[in-house]
Amino acid sequence: MIHSISKIRVRYAETDRMDVVYHSNYLVWFETARIQMLDQIGIPYREIEARGLFLPVLTVSAAYKSPARFDDHLEIHLFMHKKPRARMHFEYEVRRGEELLATGQSSHGFMDRSGRAQRPPEDLLQKIEAAWAATESI
């Protein structure tokens, strides 16, 4: 398993009139966590795109348990429980301290510039494997 944590401070612009974080911002935070995880394993998303590959969202969902509000300090936990084959699957938890505010999941496929499905590059799979092994040894 790979586990990555991104820290977010809720901006005023992310809230609605009820002082609650607007629901679509959680999806942006999920993306922030994915980009950070790719950086941490040594293959930045910009590098993936430079190779002519993209990771479009195939599915995404979120379940809201308790509202986040302006100026909250949050952690976005990303989990990769399955090693990728043709797709990458992620699960998310949004937490304010120990309190679970939301959960989510997303799946992504690799595609080239013309929109054709691609297999993940071997070096990316190797970096995921190395990150996986490092987590298991802890």
Side-chain angles (χ1 to χ4, degrees):
M1 175 183 76
I2 293 176
H3 177 211
S4 175
I5 301 172
S6 299
K7 295 183 185 277
I8 301 285
R9 182 175 181 185
V10 177
R11 298 173 301 166
Y12 187 78
E14 294 171 314
T15 63
D16 60 19
R17 261 183 97 162
M18 297 180 293
D19 188 39
V20 171
V21 170
Y22 188 70
H23 69 276
S24 65
N25 287 300
Y26 289 80
L27 303 183
V28 174
W29 298 342
F30 295 171
E31 177 186 34
T32 299
R34 288 192 306 273
I35 298 298
Q36 179 176 311
M37 184 277 297
L38 289 169
D39 285 348
Q40 288 173 342
I41 67 171
I43 186 156
Y45 191 73
R46 183 167 298 284
E47 184 179 317
I48 293 170
E49 285 189 339
R51 297 178 185 193
L53 295 172
F54 301 92
L55 282 169
V57 175
L58 302 174
T59 65
V60 67
S61 67
Y64 307 98
K65 314 241 181 250
S66 187
R69 300 187 183 278
F70 168 65
D71 211 30
D72 280 351
H73 292 262
L74 308 177
E75 289 184 343
I76 315 307
H77 293 254
L78 172 143
F79 302 92
M80 182 188 287
H81 291 291
K82 295 190 299 188
K83 295 177 185 174
R85 292 183 183 205
R87 295 180 178 190
M88 296 176 77
H89 301 277
F90 302 101
E91 293 179 17
Y92 309 91
E93 292 180 356
V94 179
R95 294 187 167 275
R96 179 178 48 228
E98 293 299 314
E99 183 182 9
L100 179 63
L101 304 181
T103 59
Q105 70 79 32
S106 66
S107 63
H108 307 261
F110 285 87
M111 72 174 206
D112 64 16
R113 291 188 193 279
S114 66
R116 277 184 255 149
Q118 301 291 309
R119 291 197 111 351
E122 190 58 37
D123 64 322
L124 173 64
L125 293 176
Q126 290 171 355
K127 289 183 181 191
I128 290 171
E129 186 65 43
W132 204 284
T135 304
E136 288 178 348
S137 67
I138 293 176

